[in-house]
Amino acid sequence: MKRHVDMADISDGRLYDSNAMVKAGCSGCGSCCKGMGTSIVLDPLDIYRMTSHLQCSFEMLMTDKIELNVVDGIILPNLKMKGQNESCGFLNDKNQCSIHPFRPGICRLFPLGRYYENNRFKYFLQVHECKNEHPSKVKIKKWLEEPELSRQEAFIRRWHYFLKNLQDRLDEKEDESLRKQVSMYILKKFYIDPISTEDDFYNAVEGRIIESEKMFGML
């Protein structure tokens, strides 16, 4: 998701790699699981993890846990906020995440963000997001709890710039019918059509990206 803001207004002004220590540790109050609107945008890895662990389909998640919205011109899924408190559907009655071991990447990241530049990204600390007034200092790679962090980071870069390049080309075309067709293709190819748990996710999704790039090269 593109954010057109001044980094000085939302961060401590620094960029970090995964080995850095930052004051991001929280007590798990659950406030970041409420009132987030449509901002928790999900990538294919998020859906793969949720459907695999919950043994359900994308369509089943769509019944009450996720929804679709337009993100920078392309339709993508996000966590759905529900009820009077606008809470994430995975927040249990103890104010705890019921899918914490396989929670989405943005949830793992919070209160950090990613700053993309020159086909790479760095982490930054969002200073106004977490309600914890006394965050503990943590190493970013430990905070993320990613079992294969280098591969996950490579995927995040690949996915971000794949979508960005596609969005830029669609913006040039100014064809809403084409944009809708591409959006539906992305949804089906990367979210609805499951990647088998017997396959390596990162290799499988890279294959789908390469196939899509060849097809979209004709746009």
Side-chain angles (χ1 to χ4, degrees):
M1 180 186 297
K2 299 175 183 176
R3 296 178 67 184
H4 302 285
V5 296
D6 188 333
M7 287 291 289
D9 294 334
I10 64 172
S11 75
D12 61 2
R14 299 177 182 179
L15 296 176
Y16 303 96
D17 62 28
S18 60
N19 286 310
M21 300 286 292
V22 295
K23 287 189 175 182
C26 71
S27 57
C29 69
S31 62
C32 57
C33 303
K34 301 174 184 177
M36 300 304 288
T38 62
S39 66
I40 314 300
V41 180
L42 304 170
D43 62 38
L45 178 59
D46 298 328
I47 295 298
Y48 172 78
R49 284 174 167 168
M50 284 191 280
T51 54
S52 298
H53 285 86
L54 297 173
Q55 297 185 328
C56 68
S57 65
F58 179 86
E59 291 85 352
M60 292 171 69
L61 290 174
M62 281 288 297
T63 58
D64 65 343
K65 295 295 190 295
I66 66 174
E67 61 185 357
L68 301 178
N69 279 287
V70 177
V71 181
D72 301 324
I74 293 181
I75 300 171
L76 296 173
N78 60 264
L79 287 183
K80 184 177 183 179
M81 301 291 128
K82 305 188 303 179
Q84 188 174 6
N85 294 323
E86 284 291 295
S87 300
C88 171
F90 290 111
L91 194 66
N92 63 27
D93 55 7
K94 295 181 180 179
N95 222 35
Q96 297 174 334
C97 176
S98 63
I99 60 167
H100 188 77
F102 49 97
R103 64 198 181 281
I106 289 181
C107 302
R108 292 171 183 267
L109 194 62
F110 189 87
L112 301 170
R114 301 188 190 102
Y115 180 80
Y116 295 88
E117 188 175 42
N118 299 324
N119 289 313
R120 303 193 68 80
F121 74 82
K122 290 280 191 177
Y123 299 99
F124 69 91
L125 180 63
Q126 301 180 87
V127 294
H128 304 301
E129 297 297 325
C130 183
K131 293 186 177 182
N132 182 15
E133 296 181 357
H134 303 287
S136 58
K137 208 165 190 178
V138 294
K139 181 171 282 192
I140 291 177
K141 65 166 52 177
K142 185 175 181 180
W143 181 248
L144 295 174
E145 293 184 328
E146 281 289 349
E148 296 181 282
L149 181 57
S150 61
R151 299 188 77 195
Q152 186 262 355
E153 288 182 328
F155 159 70
I156 291 295
R157 289 193 299 270
R158 186 77 162 101
W159 180 246
H160 173 85
Y161 285 105
F162 166 67
L163 287 184
K164 182 181 183 300
N165 292 336
L166 185 56
Q167 290 158 351
D168 290 345
R169 298 190 72 171
L170 288 172
D171 288 344
E172 291 174 2
K173 293 290 183 180
E174 297 183 339
D175 185 332
E176 289 307 309
S177 176
L178 177 61
R179 188 183 295 276
K180 184 176 180 179
Q181 291 177 36
V182 171
S183 283
M184 296 311 297
Y185 173 90
I186 293 294
L187 273 177
K188 186 174 188 305
K189 190 74 172 178
F190 293 96
Y191 292 97
I192 297 175
D193 291 349
I195 293 176
S196 172
T197 54
E198 296 180 359
D199 295 332
D200 178 89
F201 169 82
Y202 295 111
N203 289 338
V205 79
E206 174 64 15
R208 295 188 184 195
I209 290 176
I210 291 173
E211 182 182 338
S212 301
E213 287 176 328
K214 290 178 179 177
M215 189 184 76
F216 294 142
M218 297 187 297
L219 288 179

